[in-house]
């Protein structure tokens, strides 16, 4: 099938492009700086996206929110399903994705690693089994990451709130005289080197500590999950889908 990849010159989009080509699909790599090739295919300019989508089976996007909203809008106009891996959308961006999902199937996931789906389930279980335990989240990414906290961190915190049936106060770091208050969840962001993505949740109380950690060891894990989603999505009804739908599990 013909797969259009936006952000194909990026760290993750490039990996997705190689995965698409490696699985024998027709790759159309798109970039706002279209010089050269990716995975043996010529880069195409983003301004040609409406024409490039004409015969496409699916769009896969790993860019930035402002570009993603634009590209997904073109996909919706062309009737092409969209897989969105980009993170960091504000509420306006999220409603633009909802609008697009009225006319095409749209799957957005903050993390396409299967281990993160399992982590979400374990976090829900721990949150229910350990009511009232203090929770602190730490995420670590490479020094080129733009958004903070990560999309995955936000998804994990949402899962924690759902399981606890409360909205914990997300406290971003601490400084000076700033003791922990009841109802808080501490959120700690580290940016260094080339770390692919690590998320750790700590549950502590009752003289014990439970630590749950997921670490991506290559971007290939995200690319494989995104292309699994791209192969699964065409032919579905318009609407919002999650990566858990692809692997028959949980949510986002
Ligand atoms: N859902 C998941 O599993 C994963 C999601 N991500 C997300 O994917 C996104 C991209 O991450 P990276 O590949 O590390 O970034 P990157 O900076 O390496 O690549 C971004 C790509 O978007 C393009 N781009 C940037 N600004 C643009 C603009 N204003 N208009 C059009 N194109 C633009 C760049 O040219 C590049 O091709 C981030 O939001 C990141 O959080 C990253 C890894 C896994
Ligand atoms: O920017 C990244 O690299 C990653 N972004 C995603 C996020 O924001 O959660 C997923 C993964 O952690 C890598």
């Amino acid at each position: 099938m013909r797969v259009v990849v936006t952000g194909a010159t990026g760290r993750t989009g490039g990996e997705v492009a190689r995965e698409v080509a490696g699985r024998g699909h027709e790759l159309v790599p798109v970039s706002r700086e279209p010089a050269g090739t990716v995975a043996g295919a010529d880069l195409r300019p983003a301004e040609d996206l409406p024409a490039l989508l004409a015969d496409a089976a699916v769009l896969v996007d790993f860019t930035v929110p402002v570009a993603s909203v634009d590209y997904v809008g073109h996909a919706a106009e062309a009737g092409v399903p969209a897989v969105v891996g980009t993170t960091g959308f504000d509420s306006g961006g999220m409603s633009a994705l909802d609008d697009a999902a009225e006319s095409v199937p749209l799957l957005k996931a903050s993390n396409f690693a299967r281990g993160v789906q399992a982590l979400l389930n374990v976090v829900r279980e721990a949150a229910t089994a350990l009511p009232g335990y203090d929770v602190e989240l730490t995420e670590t990414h490479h020094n080129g990451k733009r958004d903070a906290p990560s999309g995955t961190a936000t998804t994990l915190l949402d899962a924690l709130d759902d399981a606890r049936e409360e909205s914990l106060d997300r406290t971003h770091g601490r400084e000076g005289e700033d003791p922990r208050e009841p109802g808080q969840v501490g959120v700690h962001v580290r940016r260094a080197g080339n770390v692919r993505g690590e998320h750790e949740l700590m549950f502590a109380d009752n003289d014990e500590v439970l630590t749950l950690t997921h670490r991506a060891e290559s971007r290939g894990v995200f690319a494989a999950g995104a292309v699994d989603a791209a192969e699964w999505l065409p032919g579905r009804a318009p609407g919002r889908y999650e990566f858990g739908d692809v692997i028959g599990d949980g949510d986002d």
Side-chain angles (χ1 to χ4, degrees):
M1 65 182 185
R2 184 174 162 93
V3 184
V4 176
V5 178
T6 44
T9 54
R11 282 176 284 258
T12 319
E15 204 65 46
V16 170
R18 286 183 277 282
E19 182 74 17
V20 166
R23 293 194 195 186
H25 298 299
E26 182 192 352
L27 168 67
V28 183
V30 174
S31 173
R32 61 185 175 153
E33 299 138 355
T37 61
V38 172
D42 288 336
L43 277 163
R44 311 297 293 272
E47 43 288 15
D48 288 355
L49 189 59
L52 297 170
L53 285 166
D55 298 319
V58 62
L59 167 76
V60 183
D61 174 81
F62 282 83
T63 56
V64 292
V66 65
S68 185
V69 163
D70 185 30
Y71 299 161
V72 167
H74 287 306
E77 277 167 29
V80 173
V83 172
V84 178
T86 302
T87 58
F89 292 91
D90 60 14
S91 57
M94 292 297 261
S95 19
L97 298 185
D98 284 338
D99 290 347
E102 285 178 16
S103 46
V104 291
L106 186 147
L107 190 153
K108 178 185 176 309
S110 59
N111 198 308
F112 282 102
R114 287 170 184 245
V116 165
Q117 291 299 312
L119 176 62
L120 280 164
N121 291 333
V122 177
V123 165
R124 288 188 193 97
E125 198 175 326
T128 310
L130 305 172
Y133 277 46
D134 295 336
V135 187
E136 299 272 314
L137 182 151
T138 303
E139 58 99 331
T140 310
H141 284 84
H142 53 93
N143 57 23
K145 184 160 176 64
R146 299 165 69 100
D147 54 318
S150 68
T152 309
T154 303
T155 301
L156 288 163
L157 293 169
D158 290 346
L160 185 66
D161 278 353
D162 286 350
R164 286 263 174 100
E165 295 182 348
E166 64 179 318
S167 188
L168 292 167
D169 176 17
R170 298 176 187 182
T171 303
H172 297 273
R174 293 191 178 84
E175 191 178 24
E177 188 165 335
D178 192 8
R180 193 176 217 289
E181 302 288 345
Q184 283 186 339
V185 54
V187 183
H188 309 281
V189 172
R190 303 190 297 184
R191 295 286 176 263
N194 197 19
V195 177
R196 299 304 198 253
E198 184 171 307
H199 295 87
E200 178 191 287
L201 278 122
M202 180 176 81
F203 292 78
D205 202 356
N206 188 39
D207 276 350
E208 58 179 341
V209 175
L210 170 66
T211 308
L212 304 171
T213 306
H214 178 273
R215 185 173 59 252
E217 299 197 323
S218 78
R219 291 193 177 89
V221 69
F222 308 130
V227 179
D228 289 343
E231 289 173 338
W232 178 89
L233 195 60
R236 309 270 161 194
R240 288 288 296 262
Y241 295 88
E242 296 167 346
F243 187 45
D245 298 324
V246 179
I247 62 174
D249 194 17
D251 51 61
D252 194 343

